[in-house]
Amino acid sequence: MSEGLAVELSALIDDPKRVLTAPAVVERLSKDFYWYSPVLKRQLQDKHGDVVVQPVSVDEVLAVARYARARDVPVTVRGAGTGNYGQCIPLKGGIVLDLQLMDKLEEITADGVAVCQPGLRLGALETDARKQGWELRMYPSTLAKASVGGFLCGGSGGIGSISHGGLRDFDTVRAFEVVTMEEEPRVVLHEGAAIHEILHCWGTNGILTRIWFALTPAVEWVQCTVAFDTFEEGALFAKSFAEDEAFRKRLVAVFEWPIPSFFSPVKQVVKADSTLLMLMVEGGQLEALREAAVAAGGEVTFSGPYTGPRSQPLLSDYTWNHTTLWAMKADPAWTYIQAGFSASTCMEQFALLREKFGKEILFHLEFIKNGKGEIFPAAIPLVYFTTEERLNELIAYCREIGVGVANPHVNYLEDGGRFRTDNIQLEAKRKYDPRGLLNPGKMMSFKPEAQAK
Ligand SMILES: Cc1cc2nc3c(=O)[nH]c(=O)nc-3n(C[C@H](O)[C@H](O)[C@H](O)COP(=O)(O)OP(=O)(O)OC[C@H]3O[C@@H](n4cnc5c(N)ncnc54)[C@H](O)[C@@H]3O)c2cc1C
């Protein structure tokens, strides 16, 4: 299939060198960080596309969409391939549409909105924005590699979410242009509430080709680590710091022992047998933070400026889902879940989980703000994997005690935590991709046109 496909696709693209067929390259560009999950690793390791196309313009994306629609060929969009649910792994072969060459920052408007192509790397945007007095409102810990389009379609939030919420909140995603997979593919502008039809849909109902992404005025941040003797002390201090509106902050992460022992490149900031907090606070507030931390029994083990993505050490490299990566380096049996604890009863929820699962679960918290402005401990706890049944038992128990779980061990949107109950994403899929050619198999509630009849 791939040779005939490649020949025909080459005729649609200005430079045929941007149609890739070498098996090792196609395999690499078909994969993401799915192996984070021992369950997905088994399910997805033999899946890949047939051919990779690297468009450089919307016209080329449209040409590929027209071709794929006319011949019923699946199309799976790829940003930088840092997703960890196997989001961009084609389940049914076909075309991998790799957007890494569409990486232009067109402008940052006077009111701080970045207008860009989807393949622009978030790290490049953060660097350019800070030169112009702006910065990202939030970014995943994969800042250096991840693309803006991939973040919008596969991510949810990250460093900065403590002040600005997630991608769904506070009009951060202003608008985007989407290429459809209709009988005659076209470019459609989605703005305001209409972005929610496509946001975080894993490229199943449209291809983002141009994005308006709101920034925030740049801040002189300081990075800081604080050690506490116990997890309870550390978690309670982090909670009060996260909730204290007097502090301007970008990161409030908590790692119970032995998680900090996995952070080998920054062992100088780690205190043995202690819970570690990683924080980012406005430079002028470091002393106030230090005083509050010491008063709560903490010890500041490091502080230093954040000067952009190249800061050394860059504490965010150890936070969010990078924590799991460091744990897996120490022992590949560690995996994770993505959870939301209750702001008011989280300490009881932690205790219940510890009682039932002991150190099979290790607490890693990331405090965030939700769309209503409430602060709560989101969490990416580490889970020591033994069997799929045991993992599902832990997830079920979390839900039973009121801990929300976005299950990262499934490869479809509906259980992945960001699927909307108002069905607007499914409606957009029916409208824009009635044949089900965009990333097939990832939106389970959708039935393609031919089968629906
Ligand atoms: C170590 C590690 C840490 C992480 N930390 C975080 C974190 O802090 N926060 C977070 O939210 N996520 C996190 N993630 C997940 C992931 O890195 C982010 O979601 C990232 O933003 C994805 O960007 P990407 O360019 O790699 O997207 P990809 O993995 O290439 O794509 C993600 C999904 O979006 C689709 N897609 C990509 N581009 C487009 C487009 N233009 N149009 C339509 N669909 C498109 C793909 O088909 C795929 O389904 C982490 C992952 C890892 C491995």
Side-chain angles (χ1 to χ4, degrees), residues 308-382:
R310 290 182 190 277
S311 306
Q312 283 302 326
L314 184 63
L315 289 189
S316 64
D317 281 350
Y318 302 87
T319 65
W320 287 81
N321 228 333
H322 265 76
T323 310
T324 316
L325 196 58
W326 291 109
M328 289 175 80
K329 277 188 189 175
D331 181 343
W334 284 114
T335 187
Y336 70 117
I337 58 169
Q338 299 189 170
F341 285 81
S342 154
S344 54
T345 61
C346 57
M347 299 313 286
E348 288 87 340
Q349 291 171 327
F350 299 142
L352 283 170
L353 276 161
R354 178 55 31 88
E355 195 185 334
K356 193 163 168 70
F357 291 94
K359 290 275 184 165
E360 249 177 279
I361 183 164
L362 293 180
F363 296 118
H364 158 206
L365 316 179
E366 297 284 350
F367 282 85
I368 65 173
K369 184 186 276 182
N370 66 18
K372 294 181 205 144
E374 298 155 349
I375 304 289
F376 72 99
I380 314 181
L382 295 175

Side-chain angles (χ1 to χ4, degrees), residues 147-167:
S147 68
V148 179
F151 187 37
L152 267 52
C153 296
S156 52
I159 295 100
S161 288
I162 180 64
S163 295
H164 298 286
L167 284 169

Side-chain angles (χ1 to χ4, degrees), residues 41-119:
K41 191 173 175 186
R42 273 201 301 270
Q43 286 172 12
L44 301 177
Q45 57 196 358
D46 63 341
K47 307 279 188 237
H48 55 80
D50 295 305
V51 59
V52 177
V53 183
Q54 297 181 317
V56 294
S57 66
V58 182
D59 285 345
E60 287 190 345
V61 174
L62 275 166
V64 173
R66 262 185 226 115
Y67 170 87
R69 171 65 204 236
R71 289 179 178 61
D72 268 333
V73 180
V75 174
T76 303
V77 188
R78 179 185 178 86
T82 69
N84 43 276
Y85 284 57
Q87 289 110 312
C88 72
I89 299 184
L91 299 180
K92 302 207 170 149
I95 300 166
V96 172
L97 192 68
D98 176 1
L99 298 182
Q100 65 171 296
L101 301 179
M102 290 179 65
D103 64 349
K104 290 194 184 46
L105 171 60
E106 287 176 28
E107 64 165 326
I108 294 176
T109 63
D111 58 345
V113 177
V115 187
C116 64
Q117 291 185 317

